[in-house]
Amino acid sequence: MKNRLGIALLLMAVALVTLPTKARGQVYEFSDSTGRYRVEYVRIVEEERREYDTIRWRHNFRLTLGTPSLVQIHLLKGTLYEVEETKIYTPQSASDRLAEYRYHTSPTYMVTPITIEYSYYINRWLSVGGRSTLTAFYNDDRNIATNEVLRKNCTFVASAIASVRFEYMRRKYVQFYSAVGAGVAARFDREVGFIIPMYDLTYFGIVVGKNLYGFAEVGAGVSGFARAGIGYRF
């Protein structure tokens, strides 16, 4: 009995090794003098990929929080969170030159970029859509002697970006992707505003989940440098 069992196991091992690739994933049956045997070759990774490929998502909504990127630095024309300890005006009029000794601007801070996004799956690995990002910078005008707040200043940056996303590793619960986008950004405050061309790139991103999922990515552009958020697709 033990000899028959050993022979059967040996034949099964040989079948797994010699089975043609195109036949793998199918049932393979053989028989000999010891009996009839049934072998099925299964590759877990391929099964997970096939199961993910059968999911027909079409719509994808995402909410993202990001850290500042070089784009925000450029738009602010300062550093990430704090422009400088004290900024003295350099006015033109005599009254403004007098005010130079009375007022200063506090450090400038930034609200983290917040992005909402919608995309539509053209096929299993390619989606197109759009994203909108809002961020803000704020500081105060203060009395140089008493540090009393005389005026609050706030600058807003809003963007509208058309994007394309490519998934290059797809499993049931994990996907890797990259994305490119282009559009416009508007910067405005109480005194001036302007619109400029803008880009947004995702160098690398990872999604973990199924319909409801979390994600993290690294990129450049108006959405920020390091980003993370949640999404829902259906």
Side-chain angles (χ1 to χ4, degrees):
M1 182 67 181
K2 291 184 178 180
N3 291 336
R4 289 186 177 183
L5 181 59
I7 293 173
L9 293 175
L10 178 61
L11 291 173
M12 292 173 63
V14 172
L16 290 176
V17 174
T18 59
L19 191 63
T21 302
K22 64 180 181 180
R24 293 179 180 177
Q26 302 177 3
V27 175
Y28 180 70
E29 296 182 352
F30 63 95
S31 61
D32 59 15
S33 59
T34 62
R36 185 175 180 83
Y37 304 95
R38 186 173 185 270
V39 177
E40 183 177 0
Y41 184 89
V42 178
R43 294 185 62 183
I44 296 177
V45 173
E46 289 186 356
E47 290 297 322
E48 287 186 353
R49 178 183 58 79
R50 283 195 292 270
E51 185 175 355
Y52 173 73
D53 285 345
T54 61
I55 299 173
R56 300 288 183 169
W57 289 310
R58 281 292 178 260
H59 308 282
N60 188 13
F61 292 91
R62 293 158 53 111
L63 176 65
T64 309
L65 297 180
T67 60
S69 67
L70 290 175
V71 170
Q72 278 87 23
I73 300 174
H74 172 72
L75 291 172
L76 181 59
K77 296 182 180 179
T79 57
L80 290 176
Y81 296 99
E82 187 173 357
V83 176
E84 54 188 23
E85 292 299 330
T86 301
K87 179 180 177 182
I88 303 298
Y89 290 118
T90 56
Q92 300 299 320
S93 66
S95 60
D96 284 341
R97 286 196 297 271
L98 180 62
E100 174 184 343
Y101 301 100
R102 294 184 294 167
Y103 309 132
H104 73 92
T105 303
S106 69
T108 300
Y109 298 92
M110 176 182 176
V111 177
T112 187
I114 302 173
T115 301
I116 56 173
E117 179 181 0
Y118 167 78
S119 60
Y120 179 82
Y121 283 92
I122 296 178
N123 55 38
R124 296 183 181 96
W125 58 271
L126 177 66
S127 61
V128 297
R131 59 173 57 186
S132 179
T133 301
L134 178 66
T135 186
F137 316 101
Y138 62 93
N139 57 27
D140 303 323
D141 292 338
R142 294 174 177 266
N143 186 293
I144 201 168
T146 65
N147 207 36
E148 177 187 0
V149 176
L150 304 175
R151 187 177 70 169
K152 293 183 177 293
N153 305 308
C154 191
T155 300
F156 295 95
V157 175
S159 68
I161 302 291
S163 61
V164 180
R165 180 178 297 109
F166 313 88
E167 293 184 1
Y168 50 84
M169 198 287 284
R170 307 188 311 279
R171 298 293 181 265
K172 183 177 180 181
Y173 293 106
V174 179
Q175 299 90 49
F176 294 161
Y177 65 91
S178 297
V180 296
V184 296
R187 179 189 187 277
F188 52 94
D189 55 30
R190 67 173 62 192
E191 296 177 353
V192 66
F194 58 85
I195 298 176
I196 59 174
M198 185 52 59
Y199 69 94
D200 199 71
L201 303 175
T202 301
Y203 300 133
F204 172 79
I206 180 172
V207 167
V208 179
K210 204 168 183 181
N211 293 80
L212 180 64
Y213 62 89
F215 65 91
E217 57 188 38
V218 176
V222 72
S223 296
F225 171 66
R227 314 159 189 169
I230 58 174
Y232 182 76
R233 51 194 175 185
F234 58 95

